Amino acid sequence: MYLTKEVKADIFKKYGGKAENTGSTEGQIALFTHRINHLTGHLKKNHKDYNTERSLVKLVGKRRSLLDYMIKNDIVKYRELIKELGIRK
């Protein structure tokens, strides 16, 4: 499995401050980015997996809405986060 408890805790520890802070916007965006990267790799091998493709599109939309929320509230943190995660816009 690609997303274990330890990996998830590390993501939230790095971006959310603490491993228990699973509700932080930065942590959620980082988790979505990790999942998006995994699904993208899967779809490169299995290009006819339309259910996964739909899930990927929904996940990208969720991440986009959280990024829009971050822009409104703290543009400096937003710029740091997209630079660190390698998200382009």
Side-chain angles (χ1 to χ4, degrees), residues 4-78:
T4 61
K5 287 182 180 181
E6 293 81 20
V7 172
K8 196 182 255 192
D10 287 342
I11 289 172
F12 283 115
K13 189 175 186 180
K14 184 175 180 182
Y15 296 101
K18 298 190 284 187
E20 298 83 28
N21 191 6
T22 59
S24 68
T25 308
E26 296 89 353
Q28 289 289 320
I29 292 170
L31 180 66
F32 287 166
T33 302
H34 180 77
R35 290 175 62 195
I36 287 168
N37 291 337
H38 174 74
L39 290 177
T40 302
H42 172 79
L43 283 173
K44 286 181 181 177
K45 296 177 203 163
N46 307 298
H47 64 280
K48 289 191 176 182
D49 189 355
Y50 299 116
N51 291 326
T52 302
E53 185 177 353
R54 182 175 187 271
S55 299
L56 177 65
V57 170
K58 287 180 67 117
L59 201 56
V60 169
K62 284 183 183 182
R63 184 179 71 178
R64 179 76 259 154
S65 66
L66 283 175
L67 285 169
D68 290 341
Y69 172 78
M70 268 192 84
I71 288 174
K72 291 177 189 173
N73 290 325
D74 195 356
I75 190 81
V76 176
K77 278 188 180 178
Y78 166 78

